Coordinates of all heavy atoms in Angstrom, one line a residue:
V245 N -7.8 -1.6 -12.7 CA -8.7 -1.2 -13.8 C -9.5 0.0 -13.3 O -10.1 -0.1 -12.2 CB -9.6 -2.3 -14.3 CG1 -10.5 -1.7 -15.5 CG2 -8.8 -3.5 -14.8
L246 N -9.5 1.2 -13.9 CA -10.1 2.4 -13.4 C -11.2 2.8 -14.4 O -11.2 2.7 -15.5 CB -9.1 3.5 -13.3 CG -7.7 3.2 -12.6 CD1 -6.9 4.5 -12.6 CD2 -8.0 2.8 -11.1
T247 N -12.3 3.5 -13.8 CA -13.2 4.2 -14.5 C -12.6 5.6 -15.0 O -11.5 6.0 -14.6 CB -14.5 4.5 -13.7 OG1 -14.2 5.5 -12.7 CG2 -15.0 3.2 -13.0
M248 N -13.4 6.3 -15.8 CA -13.0 7.6 -16.2 C -12.8 8.6 -15.1 O -12.0 9.6 -15.0 CB -14.1 8.2 -17.2 CG -14.2 7.3 -18.5 SD -12.6 7.2 -19.4 CE -12.4 9.0 -20.1
R249 N -13.5 8.3 -13.9 CA -13.4 9.2 -12.7 C -12.3 8.6 -11.8 O -12.4 9.0 -10.6 CB -14.8 9.2 -12.1 CG -15.8 10.0 -12.9 CD -17.1 10.1 -12.2 NE -18.1 11.0 -13.0 CZ -19.3 11.2 -12.6 NH1 -19.8 10.8 -11.4 NH2 -20.1 12.0 -13.4
K250 N -11.6 7.7 -12.2 CA -10.5 7.0 -11.4 C -11.0 6.3 -10.2 O -10.4 6.1 -9.2 CB -9.6 8.1 -10.9 CG -8.8 8.9 -12.1 CD -8.1 7.9 -13.0 CE -7.4 8.6 -14.1 NZ -8.2 9.2 -15.1
Q251 N -12.2 5.7 -10.3 CA -12.7 4.7 -9.3 C -12.3 3.4 -9.8 O -12.3 3.0 -11.0 CB -14.2 4.7 -9.3 CG -14.8 3.8 -8.2 CD -16.3 3.8 -8.1 OE1 -17.0 4.7 -8.6 NE2 -16.9 2.7 -7.6
C252 N -11.7 2.6 -8.8 CA -11.2 1.3 -9.1 C -12.3 0.3 -9.4 O -13.1 0.1 -8.5 CB -10.3 0.8 -8.0 SG -8.9 1.9 -7.7
L253 N -12.3 -0.4 -10.5 CA -13.3 -1.4 -10.8 C -12.7 -2.8 -10.4 O -13.5 -3.6 -9.9 CB -13.5 -1.5 -12.4 CG -14.3 -0.3 -13.0 CD1 -14.3 -0.4 -14.5 CD2 -15.7 -0.4 -12.4
Y254 N -11.4 -3.0 -10.5 CA -10.9 -4.4 -10.2 C -9.4 -4.3 -10.1 O -8.8 -3.4 -10.6 CB -11.3 -5.3 -11.4 CG -11.0 -6.8 -11.0 CD1 -11.8 -7.4 -9.9 CD2 -10.1 -7.5 -11.6 CE1 -11.6 -8.7 -9.7 CE2 -9.8 -8.9 -11.3 CZ -10.6 -9.4 -10.3 OH -10.4 -10.7 -9.9
F255 N -8.8 -5.2 -9.3 CA -7.4 -5.4 -9.2 C -7.1 -6.8 -9.6 O -7.8 -7.7 -9.2 CB -6.9 -5.1 -7.8 CG -7.1 -3.7 -7.3 CD1 -8.3 -3.4 -6.7 CD2 -6.1 -2.8 -7.4 CE1 -8.6 -2.2 -6.2 CE2 -6.4 -1.5 -6.9 CZ -7.5 -1.1 -6.3
S256 N -6.0 -7.1 -10.3 CA -5.6 -8.4 -10.7 C -4.2 -8.6 -11.0 O -3.5 -7.6 -11.3 CB -6.4 -8.8 -12.0 OG -6.1 -10.1 -12.4
R257 N -3.7 -9.8 -10.7 CA -2.3 -10.2 -11.1 C -2.2 -10.5 -12.6 O -1.2 -10.4 -13.2 CB -1.9 -11.4 -10.3 CG -1.9 -11.2 -8.8 CD -1.4 -12.4 -8.0 NE -1.6 -12.1 -6.6 CZ -0.7 -11.5 -5.8 NH1 0.3 -10.9 -6.4 NH2 -0.9 -11.3 -4.6
Q258 N -3.4 -10.7 -13.2 CA -3.4 -10.9 -14.6 C -3.4 -9.6 -15.3 O -3.6 -8.5 -14.7 CB -4.8 -11.6 -15.0 CG -5.0 -12.0 -16.3 CD -3.9 -13.0 -16.9 OE1 -2.8 -12.5 -17.4 NE2 -4.2 -14.3 -16.7
T259 N -3.0 -9.6 -16.6 CA -3.0 -8.5 -17.4 C -4.4 -8.0 -17.8 O -5.0 -8.7 -18.6 CB -2.0 -8.6 -18.6 OG1 -0.7 -9.0 -18.2 CG2 -1.9 -7.3 -19.4
V260 N -4.9 -7.0 -17.2 CA -6.3 -6.5 -17.6 C -6.1 -5.0 -17.8 O -5.3 -4.3 -17.2 CB -7.2 -6.8 -16.5 CG1 -7.6 -8.3 -16.4 CG2 -6.7 -6.3 -15.1
P261 N -7.0 -4.5 -18.7 CA -8.0 -5.1 -19.6 C -7.3 -6.0 -20.7 O -6.2 -5.7 -21.1 CB -8.8 -4.1 -20.1 CG -7.9 -2.9 -20.2 CD -7.0 -2.9 -19.1
Y262 N -8.1 -6.9 -21.2 CA -7.7 -7.6 -22.5 C -7.9 -6.8 -23.6 O -9.0 -6.2 -23.8 CB -8.5 -9.0 -22.5 CG -8.1 -9.8 -23.7 CD1 -7.1 -10.7 -23.7 CD2 -8.8 -9.7 -25.0 CE1 -6.8 -11.5 -24.8 CE2 -8.5 -10.5 -26.0 CZ -7.5 -11.4 -25.9 OH -7.2 -12.1 -27.1
V263 N -6.9 -6.7 -24.6 CA -7.1 -5.8 -25.7 C -7.5 -6.7 -26.9 O -6.6 -7.4 -27.5 CB -5.8 -5.1 -26.0 CG1 -6.1 -4.0 -27.2 CG2 -5.4 -4.2 -24.8
R264 N -8.7 -6.8 -27.2 CA -9.2 -7.6 -28.3 C -8.8 -7.1 -29.6 O -8.8 -5.9 -30.0 CB -10.8 -7.7 -28.2 CG -11.3 -8.7 -29.2 CD -12.8 -8.8 -29.1 NE -13.4 -9.7 -30.1 CZ -14.7 -9.9 -30.2 NH1 -15.6 -9.4 -29.2 NH2 -15.1 -10.8 -31.0
G265 N -8.3 -8.0 -30.5 CA -8.0 -7.7 -31.9 C -6.6 -7.4 -32.1 O -6.2 -7.1 -33.2
Y266 N -5.8 -7.3 -31.0 CA -4.4 -7.0 -31.2 C -3.4 -8.0 -30.5 O -3.9 -8.6 -29.5 CB -4.0 -5.5 -30.6 CG -4.8 -4.4 -31.3 CD1 -6.0 -4.0 -30.8 CD2 -4.2 -3.8 -32.4 CE1 -6.7 -3.0 -31.5 CE2 -4.9 -2.8 -33.1 CZ -6.2 -2.4 -32.6 OH -6.8 -1.4 -33.3
E267 N -2.3 -8.2 -30.9 CA -1.3 -9.0 -30.3 C -0.8 -8.5 -29.0 O -0.6 -7.2 -28.9 CB -0.1 -9.3 -31.3 CG -0.5 -10.1 -32.5 CD -1.0 -11.4 -32.2 OE1 -0.5 -12.1 -31.4 OE2 -2.0 -11.8 -32.9
P268 N -0.6 -9.3 -28.0 CA -0.2 -8.8 -26.7 C 1.1 -7.9 -26.7 O 1.1 -7.0 -25.9 CB 0.0 -10.0 -25.9 CG -0.8 -11.1 -26.5 CD -0.8 -10.8 -28.0
E269 N 2.0 -8.1 -27.6 CA 3.2 -7.3 -27.6 C 2.9 -5.9 -28.2 O 3.8 -5.1 -28.2 CB 4.3 -8.0 -28.5 CG 3.9 -8.4 -29.9 CD 3.3 -9.7 -30.1 OE1 2.8 -10.3 -29.1 OE2 3.3 -10.3 -31.2
T270 N 1.7 -5.6 -28.5 CA 1.4 -4.2 -29.0 C 0.3 -3.6 -28.0 O -0.2 -2.5 -28.4 CB 0.8 -4.3 -30.4 OG1 -0.5 -4.9 -30.5 CG2 1.7 -5.0 -31.3
W271 N -0.1 -4.3 -27.0 CA -1.2 -3.7 -26.2 C -0.9 -2.3 -25.6 O -1.9 -1.6 -25.4 CB -1.5 -4.7 -25.0 CG -2.3 -5.9 -25.5 CD1 -2.7 -6.3 -26.8 CD2 -2.7 -7.0 -24.6 NE1 -3.4 -7.4 -26.8 CE2 -3.5 -7.9 -25.5 CE3 -2.6 -7.2 -23.3 CZ2 -4.0 -9.1 -25.0 CZ3 -3.3 -8.4 -22.8 CH2 -4.0 -9.3 -23.7
L272 N 0.3 -2.1 -25.3 CA 0.6 -0.7 -24.6 C 0.2 0.4 -25.7 O 0.1 1.6 -25.3 CB 2.0 -0.6 -24.2 CG 2.3 -1.4 -23.0 CD1 3.8 -1.3 -22.6 CD2 1.5 -0.9 -21.8
D273 N 0.2 0.1 -26.9 CA -0.1 1.1 -27.9 C -1.7 1.3 -28.1 O -2.0 2.3 -28.7 CB 0.4 0.6 -29.3 CG 1.9 0.5 -29.4 OD1 2.6 1.3 -28.7 OD2 2.4 -0.3 -30.1
H274 N -2.4 0.5 -27.5 CA -3.9 0.6 -27.7 C -4.7 0.8 -26.4 O -6.0 0.9 -26.5 CB -4.3 -0.7 -28.4 CG -3.6 -0.9 -29.8 ND1 -3.9 -0.2 -30.8 CD2 -2.6 -1.8 -30.1 CE1 -3.0 -0.6 -31.8 NE2 -2.3 -1.6 -31.4
A275 N -4.1 0.7 -25.2 CA -4.8 0.8 -24.0 C -4.0 1.4 -22.9 O -2.8 1.2 -23.0 CB -5.5 -0.5 -23.6
D276 N -4.6 1.9 -21.8 CA -3.8 2.3 -20.7 C -3.9 1.2 -19.6 O -5.0 0.7 -19.4 CB -4.4 3.5 -20.1 CG -4.2 4.8 -21.0 OD1 -3.2 4.8 -21.7 OD2 -4.9 5.7 -20.9
F277 N -2.6 0.9 -19.1 CA -2.7 -0.1 -17.9 C -2.0 0.6 -16.8 O -1.2 1.5 -16.9 CB -1.8 -1.3 -18.5 CG -2.4 -2.1 -19.6 CD1 -2.1 -1.7 -20.9 CD2 -3.2 -3.1 -19.3 CE1 -2.7 -2.4 -22.0 CE2 -3.7 -3.9 -20.4 CZ -3.4 -3.5 -21.7
Y278 N -2.4 0.1 -15.6 CA -1.9 0.8 -14.4 C -1.4 -0.2 -13.5 O -2.1 -1.2 -13.1 CB -3.1 1.6 -13.7 CG -3.6 2.8 -14.6 CD1 -4.7 2.7 -15.4 CD2 -2.8 3.9 -14.6 CE1 -5.1 3.8 -16.2 CE2 -3.2 5.0 -15.4 CZ -4.3 4.9 -16.1 OH -4.7 5.9 -16.9
K279 N -0.3 0.0 -12.9 CA 0.4 -0.7 -11.8 C -0.1 -0.2 -10.5 O -0.1 1.0 -10.2 CB 1.9 -0.6 -11.8 CG 2.7 -1.1 -10.6 CD 4.1 -0.6 -10.7 CE 4.9 -1.0 -9.5 NZ 6.3 -0.7 -9.5
H280 N -0.6 -1.1 -9.6 CA -1.1 -0.6 -8.3 C 0.1 -0.4 -7.3 O 1.0 -1.3 -7.2 CB -2.0 -1.7 -7.7 CG -2.6 -1.4 -6.4 ND1 -2.6 -2.2 -5.3 CD2 -3.2 -0.2 -5.9 CE1 -3.2 -1.6 -4.3 NE2 -3.5 -0.4 -4.6
I281 N 0.0 0.7 -6.6 CA 1.0 0.9 -5.6 C 0.3 0.8 -4.3 O -0.7 1.4 -4.0 CB 1.5 2.4 -5.8 CG1 2.3 2.5 -7.1 CG2 2.5 2.8 -4.6 CD1 2.7 3.9 -7.4
G282 N 0.9 -0.1 -3.5 CA 0.2 -0.6 -2.2 C 0.2 0.4 -1.1 O 0.8 0.1 -0.1
I283 N -0.5 1.5 -1.2 CA -0.6 2.4 -0.1 C -2.2 2.8 -0.1 O -2.7 2.9 -1.2 CB 0.2 3.7 -0.3 CG1 0.0 4.7 0.9 CG2 -0.1 4.5 -1.7 CD1 1.0 5.9 0.9
Y284 N -2.7 2.8 1.1 CA -4.2 3.0 1.1 C -4.5 4.1 2.2 O -3.8 4.2 3.3 CB -4.8 1.7 1.7 CG -4.6 0.6 0.7 CD1 -3.7 -0.5 1.2 CD2 -5.4 0.2 -0.4 CE1 -3.5 -1.6 0.4 CE2 -5.1 -0.8 -1.2 CZ -4.2 -1.7 -0.8 OH -4.0 -2.8 -1.6
A285 N -5.6 4.8 1.9 CA -6.2 5.7 2.8 C -7.6 5.3 3.2 O -8.3 5.0 2.3 CB -6.2 7.2 2.3
Y286 N -7.9 5.1 4.4 CA -9.2 4.7 4.8 C -9.9 5.8 5.6 O -9.2 6.4 6.5 CB -9.2 3.5 5.7 CG -8.1 2.4 5.4 CD1 -6.9 2.4 6.1 CD2 -8.4 1.4 4.5 CE1 -6.0 1.4 5.8 CE2 -7.4 0.4 4.2 CZ -6.2 0.4 4.8 OH -5.3 -0.6 4.6
R287 N -11.1 6.0 5.3 CA -11.9 6.9 6.3 C -12.1 6.1 7.5 O -12.2 4.9 7.5 CB -13.3 7.2 5.7 CG -14.0 8.4 6.2 CD -15.2 8.7 5.5 NE -16.2 7.7 5.7 CZ -17.2 7.5 4.8 NH1 -17.3 8.2 3.7 NH2 -18.1 6.6 5.1
S288 N -12.0 6.7 8.7 CA -12.0 6.0 10.0 C -13.0 5.0 10.2 O -12.8 3.9 10.7 CB -11.8 7.1 11.1 OG -12.9 7.9 11.2

Side-chain angles (χ1 to χ4, degrees):
V245 180
L246 310 179
T247 69
M248 298 299 290
R249 294 183 177 182
K250 301 301 184 288
Q251 181 178 339
C252 299
L253 288 173
Y254 193 66
F255 297 89
S256 182
R257 299 182 185 280
Q258 185 61 269
T259 303
V260 287
Y262 180 88
V263 185
R264 185 177 178 181
Y266 295 95
E267 294 300 318
E269 58 268 22
T270 68
W271 281 4
L272 287 176
D273 297 326
H274 303 286
D276 290 333
F277 296 87
Y278 295 97
K279 168 187 173 180
H280 181 226
I281 296 175
I283 183 171
Y284 301 103
Y286 322 95
R287 202 173 68 204
S288 59

